[in-house]
Amino acid sequence: MFADNAKITIRSGNGGDGHVSFRREKYVPNGGPDGGDGGDGGNLIFQVDDGLNTLADFRHRRKFSAQNGEQGGKRNCHGKRGEDLILKVPAGTIIKDAATEKVIADMSGENTRQIVLRGGKGGLGNQHFATSTMQVPKYAQPGQPGIELEVYLELKVIADVGLVGFPNVGKSTLLSRVSNARPKIANYHFTTLNPNLGVVDLEDAGGFVIADIPGLIEGAAEGVGLGHDFLRHIERTKVMIHMVDAASVEGRDPIADIYAINKELDSYNPELLKKPQVIAANKIDAIYDEKESALPALKAEFEPQGIQVYPISAVSGQGLKELLYYVQELLSQLDDTPVVYEQEFYPELLAFKEDACTVEYDEDENVYVVEGPKIEKMLGYTNIDSEKGFLFFQKFLREQGILEKLEELGISDGDTVRMYGLQFDYYKS
């Protein structure tokens, strides 16, 4: 069965502890400390695999952990770094924090590989703690723990065009005729369970990716049936094709069907109704009496709203060329940047939750000093030389209340802030 969501627990590796040991050689009876550092814990990484199209691999196994770093050894031997764990997912997978439902990563577009949880830093061996007054340190730093998090994986199909409609209106037949997709087709009175993707190639006009979104039912936005499972796949599409039965073969009212589906889209996410829509009035080959055709009523109802109606037959191919070229024209007028969800949740912040920090003003040096385990850890976890790392750094300062404390101390634009080895000028954003 098609699996497009899963809830799993992930954990990065613990850092190895630093080692306490002393040189013991034949002619060096009181050798100094030589305890090695612990190895860093392995990272938990998500990576796109183009060969995957479901999240089925996460349905039967729910816990995933990267390897812990090894403890340091004597004679300055460093512990081995823990191996990273790479979890492969299909393109379009969104990783959310299960507790807050905030986005951690969207594996779409150029984002094909992301470290979601960083391993804990290895602890320092006792050789680092020798001083002129403490030449025999019997202390080594413990490794930092990894981060454990429950996440929700959600696959949102990446397609330019979404094909929506009630069950049995001919969506699968249309998809098989206009693209390279080969969905199962039969006269079922229930919905297809799998979103089928196909590539449409148009002569002299490029092409686009079209997705047959499984048939909707009223109440889908409230989760009736498999409503949420289907609706999530429409969010990335840029244009929607409403497919209706213009011949009313089964006695359905196509106008009422379109309004019913739009109501579900609006209930789920009002932004969906802002996408361009076009109506494919299918099964015109089954219209034997023009007086019974729903086409005039469809055109009269929707074309004044700017929604074009195209009569087609998915079986014979009649009208398909006109429909597809119109859809391509709509797409050409839209931004071709893929829909990618921005990061809202930063798991790294969990590593600093219980730690303290101090914010003080040093009058002698005219500098604001921010120190404490929380800051030291943050700088260890983050590469602030990268754009992504710097954005996280800014978010960390804001969410931890550090910027607020600096302002309470009277900091002004251009004043200097020091955090351990890092020094920068403050400017209020």
Side-chain angles (χ1 to χ4, degrees):
M1 180 179 174
F2 183 79
D4 57 4
N5 63 85
K7 186 181 285 188
I8 61 173
T9 299
I10 56 176
R11 182 180 175 84
S12 57
N14 296 328
D17 294 338
H19 190 69
V20 176
S21 62
F22 300 90
R23 289 175 58 196
R24 290 294 181 263
E25 299 175 22
K26 188 173 182 179
Y27 298 107
V28 188
N30 296 309
D34 68 352
D37 302 342
D40 294 345
N43 299 324
L44 196 294
I45 300 170
F46 280 84
Q47 181 173 307
V48 169
D49 185 335
D50 293 329
L52 296 176
N53 57 14
T54 81
L55 296 170
D57 291 348
F58 301 98
R59 283 296 180 91
H60 305 293
R61 183 182 169 194
R62 301 290 178 145
K63 292 189 175 182
F64 300 85
S65 299
Q67 191 177 48
N68 294 331
E70 290 185 355
Q71 182 178 333
K74 58 180 63 176
R75 297 181 182 176
N76 300 326
C77 289
H78 289 246
K80 183 180 178 183
R81 185 185 182 282
E83 288 188 14
D84 297 336
L85 179 61
I86 300 174
L87 300 182
K88 295 185 177 180
V89 294
T93 299
I94 295 179
I95 305 156
K96 295 181 178 179
D97 171 49
T100 63
E101 296 189 0
K102 291 184 176 180
V103 175
I104 298 172
D106 184 351
M107 308 306 294
S108 307
E110 296 180 358
N111 189 31
T112 58
R113 179 184 172 96
Q114 181 164 334
I115 298 174
V116 171
L117 299 181
R118 292 191 177 275
K121 299 288 286 184
L124 299 176
N126 69 330
Q127 60 176 308
H128 293 277
F129 300 98
T131 65
S132 59
T133 57
M134 174 61 72
Q135 298 181 4
V136 188
K138 296 181 180 179
Y139 167 80
Q141 189 181 44
Q144 293 181 358
I147 303 172
E148 182 171 299
L149 188 65
E150 187 176 43
V151 296
Y152 182 66
L153 307 182
E154 187 176 62
L155 177 59
K156 295 180 189 285
V157 166
I158 299 176
D160 301 304
V161 179
L163 189 57
V164 298
F166 276 83
N168 208 33
V169 295
K171 298 199 300 339
S172 296
T173 303
L174 174 65
L175 189 69
S176 68
R177 184 160 191 112
V178 303
S179 75
N180 57 355
R182 294 294 175 264
K184 293 180 180 178
I185 301 169
N187 187 28
Y188 296 132
H189 284 77
F190 50 87
T191 181
T192 307
L193 293 179
N194 297 5
N196 292 298
L197 281 174
V199 178
V200 177
D201 290 316
L202 298 175
E203 189 175 349
D204 301 325
F208 52 84
V209 178
I210 186 170
D212 163 20
I213 307 299
L216 298 173
I217 58 175
E218 292 184 68
E222 282 73 49
V224 174
L226 298 176
H228 282 166
D229 293 340
F230 299 156
L231 285 162
R232 71 166 60 96
H233 296 297
I234 303 173
E235 291 190 83
R236 290 196 199 270
T237 60
K238 294 184 172 66
V239 173
M240 281 188 288
I241 299 177
H242 274 282
M243 197 159 183
V244 294
D245 177 1
S248 299
V249 172
E250 298 184 359
R252 298 191 64 90
D253 179 354
I255 294 177
D257 283 356
I258 292 171
Y259 280 123
I261 287 178
N262 276 343
K263 180 182 176 182
E264 297 306 320
L265 297 176
D266 184 50
S267 298
Y268 180 73
N269 182 353
E271 293 295 313
L272 296 179
L273 290 186
K274 295 180 181 180
K275 299 177 185 289
Q277 299 185 8
V278 57
I279 295 170
N282 191 30
K283 303 187 181 180
I284 59 173
D285 55 306
I287 299 175
Y288 303 108
D289 186 347
E290 291 298 326
K291 295 179 181 179
E292 298 179 1
S293 171
L295 278 173
L298 282 166
K299 287 177 175 288
E301 181 70 23
F302 293 104
E303 290 194 345
Q305 300 179 35
I307 303 174
Q308 294 299 307
V309 178
Y310 281 83
I312 67 164
S313 169
V315 173
S316 70
Q318 184 179 349
L320 295 185
K321 183 177 180 181
E322 291 80 3
L323 170 67
L324 297 177
Y325 274 91
Y326 176 70
V327 170
Q328 178 62 48
E329 182 184 342
L330 286 177
L331 288 170
S332 68
Q333 299 169 11
L334 301 173
D335 182 4
D336 61 359
T337 304
V339 178
V340 179
Y341 295 86
E342 294 294 326
Q343 185 170 3
E344 303 170 318
F345 185 89
Y346 293 80
E348 295 95 329
L349 293 175
L350 298 174
F352 323 125
K353 194 172 182 182
E354 305 300 328
D355 294 321
C357 74
T358 59
V359 182
E360 299 175 342
Y361 175 61
D362 186 330
E363 293 185 8
D364 294 335
E365 296 190 32
N366 189 28
V367 64
Y368 291 83
V369 181
V370 183
E371 291 181 333
K374 181 179 291 190
I375 302 301
E376 189 175 13
K377 275 189 184 180
M378 184 275 294
L379 294 174
Y381 271 101
T382 312
N383 175 19
I384 63 172
D385 291 331
S386 69
E387 181 181 359
K388 196 168 187 178
F390 187 71
L391 290 175
F392 167 71
F393 172 64
Q394 288 182 308
K395 186 178 180 69
F396 170 83
L397 296 179
R398 183 170 58 254
E399 293 195 351
Q400 299 298 310
I402 294 170
L403 294 182
E404 186 178 346
K405 290 179 180 177
L406 287 169
E407 289 171 2
E408 289 174 359
L409 290 174
I411 196 169
S412 302
D413 284 356
D415 287 347
T416 302
V417 178
R418 187 171 66 218
M419 297 182 184
Y420 292 93
L422 176 69
Q423 193 161 297
F424 61 94
D425 293 334
Y426 172 87
Y427 289 98
K428 189 171 183 178
S429 56

